[in-house]
Amino acid sequence: MAEDPRDWETETRLVRGGLARSEHGEISEALYLTQSFAYDSAEAADARFGGAPGFIYQRFGNPTTQMFEDRLALLEGAQVCRATASGMSAVHVSLMGLLKAGDHLVAGRALFGSCRWIISEWLPRFGVEATYVDATDLEAWKNAVRPNTKAFLIESPANPLLEITAIGAVAEIAHAAGAKLIVDNVFATPIFQKPLVLGADVVVYSATKHIDGQGRVLGGAILGNEALMSEAYKDLLRHTGPAMSPFNSWVLLKALETLELRVRRQTENAGRIADVIASSGKVHKTIYCGRPDHPQAAIIANQMTGGGNVIAFDLGSRDSAFRFLNALQIVDISNNLGDAKSMATHPCTTTHRSMPETERLEIGLTEGWVRMSVGLEGAGDLSRDISRALDAA
Ligand SMILES: *Cc1c(COP(=O)(O)O)cnc(C)c1O
């Protein structure tokens, strides 16, 4: 009996999923840096354009990109994955493919800054209205539904304070309203949370984060079942051109091989660092999805299998947060996350500075909060660096 990759363990999927060797039998996946493809005959070109299997043009598909897509789809348990040039192109396409003029969207109010821009500034130009809700409040989701609601968008855990949405319960509300649920699964990673299994219709990633995890390239992905991916996204992706570069696909394909190892080690480190932070007298509050004192620990236990690598903590004031950041010697001050290198940022003045203050306060984001993405350095070195910076705070 031939092996079915869908029966493989996660580690095997990540190393061997989607592998499509050329006639040379290369061990490391080939980088097909080619825009277009030649056909054996005019008849073959005719057939290819008529839908016969094979590649036509890099904007539609590429063998290296397809290996990345197939590997990520296998990891996620999705029928189809389409790679995009960045996480934001994935979010943008995921919304544009489901919405048209006159439609309504409901979104969790704690979202990545650029996602909020798309919803608040961009979609209204096309006649799409949106309602933001407290994503932790199921009644709020129900109350926000209108007859023309076509999509729900959530990020769980959300940036930067790691709010959790009960994905299954929100999926039921969306489906009862005839809407699709899109989940931005970046913070959880495909290792620790499977939104499609929980009831979501579409999953999006910024592959820039943990999937690369080594600070090199941008990338994104949209995943879902075959019917929806074909109906909502296939033509939109072909004709508007947010395709992932084959070079970036190759980098990210190789990065998937070590994703599980990296995310698990980052998470072990984050667990230790969260304890260091939470036990400091300088810290007013610590939020980490791997700790039993997370406000939504019960939902986390239902839908996530690991705490991830991001920690948020409140040092009480901007001055204190800045003193902490400026005293770090190993951890970088940077707004990225999921990297091998640990990084910390002050969301109010960086990632969330364009969010109006009233909305920042609604999500509890005051000036003392720091968000830390824990990397792969030695946990002892990180603990020492962070303890010293906490003393300085
Ligand atoms: C970074 C990020 C994005 C955007 O991804 P890019 O690759 O930077 O375009 C979207 N959503 C979340 C949750 C992110 O962290």
Side-chain angles (χ1 to χ4, degrees), residues 85-91 111-115 155-159 184-187 204-210 217-220 335-337 371:
S86 67
M88 282 323 305
S89 54
V91 173
L111 281 182
F112 189 71
S114 297
C115 302
E155 198 182 297
S156 181
N159 185 22
D184 181 336
N185 203 38
V186 165
F187 276 60
V204 293
Y205 286 106
S206 165
T208 314
K209 309 295 167 54
H210 307 77
V217 301
L218 296 185
N335 48 286
N336 202 4
L337 64 100
R371 185 194 78 190

Side-chain angles (χ1 to χ4, degrees), residues 73-319:
L74 193 62
L75 172 64
E76 192 71 38
Q79 287 175 346
V80 177
C81 168
R82 293 305 310 273
T84 57
S86 67
M88 282 323 305
S89 54
V91 173
H92 181 228
V93 168
S94 77
L95 291 167
M96 292 303 263
L98 295 180
L99 297 164
K100 61 179 187 325
D103 287 347
H104 175 245
L105 164 75
V106 189
R109 67 189 177 193
L111 281 182
F112 189 71
S114 297
C115 302
R116 288 195 54 115
W117 183 86
I118 290 177
I119 294 168
S120 301
E121 308 290 331
W122 186 242
L123 291 179
R125 294 200 207 178
F126 303 94
V128 174
E129 289 189 348
T131 307
Y132 288 111
V133 296
D134 172 354
T136 65
D137 178 355
L138 295 178
E139 286 306 308
W141 286 99
K142 281 185 200 151
N143 294 337
V145 168
R146 300 183 192 166
N148 57 342
T149 302
K150 292 291 159 50
F152 281 21
L153 172 67
I154 58 175
E155 198 182 297
S156 181
N159 185 22
L161 299 186
L162 309 173
E163 265 179 16
I164 301 293
T165 304
I167 294 174
V170 171
E172 276 179 28
I173 299 168
H175 297 156
K180 304 276 191 243
L181 172 64
I182 306 167
V183 176
D184 181 336
N185 203 38
V186 165
F187 276 60
T189 82
I191 304 298
F192 291 143
Q193 182 167 271
K194 306 278 191 208
L196 296 175
V197 175
L198 296 166
D201 302 285
V202 179
V203 179
V204 293
Y205 286 106
S206 165
T208 314
K209 309 295 167 54
H210 307 77
I211 292 177
D212 179 353
Q214 293 150 86
R216 299 165 298 188
V217 301
L218 296 185
I222 310 175
L223 300 105
N225 73 32
E226 209 157 337
L228 183 64
M229 292 299 293
S230 153
E231 187 193 335
Y233 302 125
K234 189 175 173 210
D235 288 342
L236 183 61
L237 286 163
R238 279 183 166 225
H239 302 302
T240 63
M244 179 181 278
S245 137
F247 178 77
N248 291 3
S249 301
W250 182 81
V251 170
L252 295 167
L253 173 66
K254 300 303 288 176
L256 280 175
E257 293 180 349
T258 56
L259 177 68
E260 211 251 357
L261 283 174
R262 288 184 285 105
V263 166
R264 286 203 188 279
R265 176 56 69 85
Q266 286 171 330
T267 301
E268 275 173 40
N269 279 354
R272 283 183 63 178
I273 301 302
D275 289 343
V276 170
I277 292 170
S279 60
S280 162
K282 296 285 173 68
V283 176
H284 297 223
K285 196 167 181 191
T286 306
I287 303 182
Y288 175 57
C289 296
R291 283 176 64 87
D293 60 2
H294 187 290
Q296 293 149 296
I299 305 173
I300 293 174
N302 273 336
Q303 65 188 33
M304 292 176 71
T305 54
N309 80 316
V310 181
I311 305 167
F313 53 101
D314 181 9
L315 289 166
S317 69
R318 179 197 290 219
D319 283 349

